[in-house]
Amino acid sequence: MCALNEVKGMKLKMKKRSKRYDLVIYISLILAFICVIISIIDNSNAGEIDFKEVPKDEIDSPSIPTDSVLENQDIEEPLELKNADKNSIVKKYLDEIADRVIKDEVITYNMIRTWNTYEVLDTIYERQIIDYYYAYKVNIKITGNNIDIPTSKNELLSKEDYTVITLTFNILKSGKQKGYIVKAIEIPNNA
């Protein structure tokens, strides 16, 4: 008799538990259904986006600064860079290419190997590209026979004993290295 009462008690407890679980499941389903209805209503109120074709004539092309625009800009070199040794910054970059620490697409390791010596003659401030990023025209003096250079030589500065090339070095103020570094080299348009 006692065992029968225990079995009936367990069945009663199971029914109570199953009713609780059923109640939680049904409430969750109702809430999920309400969320679906709200999202459908919200999407229907959002409206449709109309795309229209625009003739190529009406598309604004990005404005590329011309030489006259660049001349009108303030050509003042930042004071911090006036005091910096830019020749050493460029020389360090060239040395890192020669030591295979870094790679560059304009001046390669194999190119520098053909140079007996190289020296940075001068760095001339051109313009500010963006904040803390500046372009400098750099004249590099190279000695050696059968040298490989990325651009034509500067006829005005070159002599019989050496060749001078002019490149644009983009110098960036680096937070990691706590100073200025060469970020990229470009071949000037007039070279």
Side-chain angles (χ1 to χ4, degrees):
M1 199 57 139
C2 197
L4 189 60
N5 285 338
E6 282 183 30
V7 171
K8 286 183 180 179
M10 287 180 75
K11 285 184 179 180
L12 188 60
K13 283 183 183 178
M14 294 288 280
K15 284 185 179 182
K16 285 183 181 178
R17 261 193 203 158
S18 107
K19 286 183 182 180
R20 285 185 193 158
Y21 289 129
D22 288 346
L23 184 64
V24 169
I25 291 172
Y26 289 128
I27 290 174
S28 298
L29 287 173
I30 291 171
L31 290 175
F33 186 69
I34 291 172
C35 289
V36 168
I37 291 173
I38 290 172
S39 67
I40 290 172
I41 292 171
D42 189 42
N43 283 340
S44 67
N45 291 339
E48 293 182 16
I49 300 173
D50 293 331
F51 294 103
K52 63 178 184 176
E53 288 193 31
V54 178
K56 289 183 178 180
D57 298 340
E58 293 181 18
I59 297 175
D60 292 333
S61 62
S63 61
I64 299 171
T66 60
D67 290 337
S68 61
V69 172
L70 291 175
E71 288 174 8
N72 293 336
Q73 289 181 348
D74 188 18
I75 312 177
E76 187 72 26
E77 182 178 16
L79 183 61
E80 186 176 355
L81 274 168
K82 282 183 182 178
N83 299 331
D85 186 9
K86 295 165 293 288
N87 289 3
S88 296
I89 295 168
V90 172
K91 177 78 164 101
K92 179 183 175 203
Y93 187 77
L94 294 173
D95 290 343
E96 288 176 345
I97 294 172
D99 294 338
R100 290 189 174 185
V101 175
I102 57 173
K103 290 184 178 181
D104 191 87
E105 294 178 11
V106 176
I107 297 178
T108 63
Y109 166 76
N110 291 329
M111 193 178 294
I112 288 183
R113 279 187 37 200
T114 65
W115 305 349
N116 286 345
T117 61
Y118 53 91
E119 173 188 346
V120 178
L121 292 178
D122 56 354
T123 54
I124 303 161
Y125 178 76
E126 283 189 329
R127 69 187 191 287
Q128 178 177 357
I129 300 169
I130 57 172
D131 290 341
Y132 306 109
Y133 194 42
Y134 307 94
Y136 282 87
K137 187 187 311 181
V138 177
N139 293 315
I140 302 170
K141 176 181 165 183
I142 303 167
T143 61
N145 297 329
N146 299 323
I147 59 173
D148 186 14
I149 54 177
T151 183
S152 58
K153 68 180 185 176
N154 186 327
E155 297 292 339
L156 296 174
L157 299 176
S158 296
K159 304 287 184 206
E160 285 184 29
D161 300 342
Y162 58 86
T163 302
V164 176
I165 59 171
T166 303
L167 297 170
T168 300
F169 281 73
N170 297 331
I171 296 178
L172 172 71
K173 184 173 186 177
S174 172
K176 284 183 181 177
Q177 298 174 353
K178 297 187 183 351
Y180 288 95
I181 60 168
V182 173
K183 190 67 176 168
I185 302 174
E186 298 175 4
I187 298 174
N189 293 336
N190 57 359

